[in-house]
């Protein structure tokens, strides 16, 4: 787990091999291999070392160039994700259907003469095993192994998990805004399988002001039309339900309801006079 050479990862080289918790200085996160990345941040598998013991977590660190280039907007992204997940942590009882926030802070980083404080969050580590960790991977595994996506019973269970997760998200005043198969994490198998809503990087918690400058939000084909055109007056919890419906179509068929790669593709698909049926799929 701890075998990533610093010279192969510029962000890791800038931050260093360990990050100390701002909230609890006795807690250290030892950074390991890269497990994912997005436009603004990189995710690493890390070992949380605390007086009470050690456990794996996912450490999501904002890229240095994003902090330098976008400034307050970058900080807003980090703040929104931390606030959204923090509210869910405070919910009683806690929901098992949303990835849990473990810690949050800012790490000093240096790249040559450039210094910056990089926002980071530590998240519950989800290990999906041979079938994959994301819903995308699990549906692909099912198609390969059985020739079809989820069977009715498994699909019903997945839908129940995601609906309960979204309900918890909305009850604490948060709109996810980017629900898609890649942002659903899966663990366990058979009767023990659980599906969790993840990645709140573009979520909108009530009471947190600031925008993304009118830029489209979400993923074409899964994001609701109001997210694609960034009409904030129309974005509500129902926007997440649009995305959930598209995810349901995917887990039942292995195909995207709106096969869109660009904003233009998505808008044309949304405006079409007809809709695909489950019976139209292979």
């Amino acid at each position: 787990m701890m075998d990533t050479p610093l010279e192969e990862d510029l962000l890791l080289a800038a931050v260093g091999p360990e990050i100390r918790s701002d909230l609890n200085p006795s807690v250290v996160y030892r950074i390991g291999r890269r497990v994912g990345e997005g436009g603004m941040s990189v995710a690493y598998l890390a070992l949380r070392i605390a007086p009470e013991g050690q456990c794996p977590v996912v450490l999501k660190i904002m890229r240095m160039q994003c902090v330098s280039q976008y400034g307050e907007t970058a900080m807003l992204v980090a703040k929104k994700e931390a606030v959204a997940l923090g509210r869910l942590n405070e919910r009683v009882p806690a929901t098992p259907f949303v990835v849990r926030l473990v810690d949050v802070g800012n790490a000093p980083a240096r790249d040559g003469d450039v210094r910056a404080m990089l926002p980071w969050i530590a998240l519950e580590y989800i290990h999906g095993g041979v079938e994959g960790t994301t819903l995308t991977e699990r549906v692909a595994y099912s198609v390969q192994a059985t020739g079809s996506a989820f069977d009715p019973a498994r699909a019903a269970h997945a839908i129940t998990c995601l609906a309960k997760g979204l309900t918890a998200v909305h009850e604490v005043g948060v709109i996810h805004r980017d629900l898609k198969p890649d942002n659903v994490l899966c663990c366990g198998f058979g009767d023990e399988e659980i599906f969790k809503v993840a990645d709140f990087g573009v979520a909108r918690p009530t009471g947190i002001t600031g925008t993304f400058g009118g830029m489209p939000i979400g993923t074409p084909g899964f994001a609701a039309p109001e997210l694609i055109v960034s009409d904030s007056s129309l974005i509500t919890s129902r926007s997440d339900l649009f995305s959930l419906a598209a995810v349901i179509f995917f887990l039942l068929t292995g195909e995207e309801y709106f096969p869109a790669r660009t904003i233009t593709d998505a808008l044309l698909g949304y405006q079409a006079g007809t809709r695909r049926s489950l019976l139209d799929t292979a």
Side-chain angles (χ1 to χ4, degrees), residues 23 82-95 98-102 104 168 171-174:
L23 302 176
V83 168
L85 287 168
R87 288 183 184 176
L88 284 158
N89 271 15
E90 295 169 359
R91 186 178 183 272
V92 179
T95 175
V98 177
V99 170
R100 184 172 59 88
L101 177 70
V102 176
V104 60
E171 283 179 348
V172 296
V174 174

Side-chain angles (χ1 to χ4, degrees), residues 42-271:
V42 179
Y44 298 93
L45 184 60
L47 188 65
R48 182 180 187 271
I49 304 172
E52 65 271 18
Q54 302 180 2
C55 67
V57 296
V58 170
L59 201 64
K60 189 174 176 182
I61 308 174
M62 184 160 288
R63 296 179 187 273
M64 197 161 184
Q65 59 267 38
C66 289
V67 173
S68 300
Q69 182 175 353
Y70 297 112
E72 290 302 318
T73 299
M75 296 302 180
L76 175 64
V77 172
K79 181 179 181 181
K80 283 187 172 185
E81 186 164 15
V83 168
L85 287 168
R87 288 183 184 176
L88 284 158
N89 271 15
E90 295 169 359
R91 186 178 183 272
V92 179
T95 175
F97 307 118
V98 177
V99 170
R100 184 172 59 88
L101 177 70
V102 176
D103 201 350
V104 60
N106 294 279
R110 178 176 180 177
D111 184 6
D113 294 331
V114 179
R115 297 174 182 269
M117 296 297 290
L118 304 185
W120 58 267
I121 59 174
L123 302 167
E124 172 189 10
Y125 171 60
I126 306 296
H127 180 57
V130 66
E131 293 191 17
T133 301
T134 68
L135 182 61
T136 302
E137 293 169 336
R138 292 222 166 179
V139 168
Y141 183 91
S142 179
V143 170
Q144 183 179 12
T146 69
S148 62
F150 284 9
D151 61 62
R154 189 180 188 188
H157 175 62
I159 293 167
T160 299
C161 291
L162 296 179
K164 288 182 177 180
L166 274 185
T167 297
V169 169
H170 295 158
E171 283 179 348
V172 296
V174 174
I175 305 171
H176 188 281
R177 303 201 294 184
D178 195 22
L179 184 67
K180 58 183 178 181
D182 280 349
N183 287 346
V184 174
L185 301 187
C186 318
C187 59
F189 308 96
D191 294 340
E192 304 300 320
E193 189 172 34
I194 296 179
F195 301 86
K196 297 172 179 272
V197 179
D199 201 335
F200 286 72
V202 297
R204 187 176 76 180
T206 55
I208 302 296
T209 59
T211 69
F212 292 92
M215 295 184 298
I217 299 169
T219 301
F222 290 96
E226 60 270 23
L227 290 167
I228 291 294
V229 300
S230 195
D231 187 343
S232 58
S233 66
L234 296 177
I235 299 172
T236 68
S237 59
R238 289 176 292 183
S239 304
D240 285 343
L241 298 184
F242 180 101
S243 302
L244 176 60
V247 169
I248 291 171
F249 188 91
F250 174 78
L251 64 84
L252 285 169
T253 67
E255 301 178 18
E256 294 182 7
Y257 189 55
F258 296 103
R261 292 294 173 265
T262 66
I263 293 172
T264 301
D265 290 342
L267 291 176
L268 289 174
Y270 298 161
Q271 294 170 359

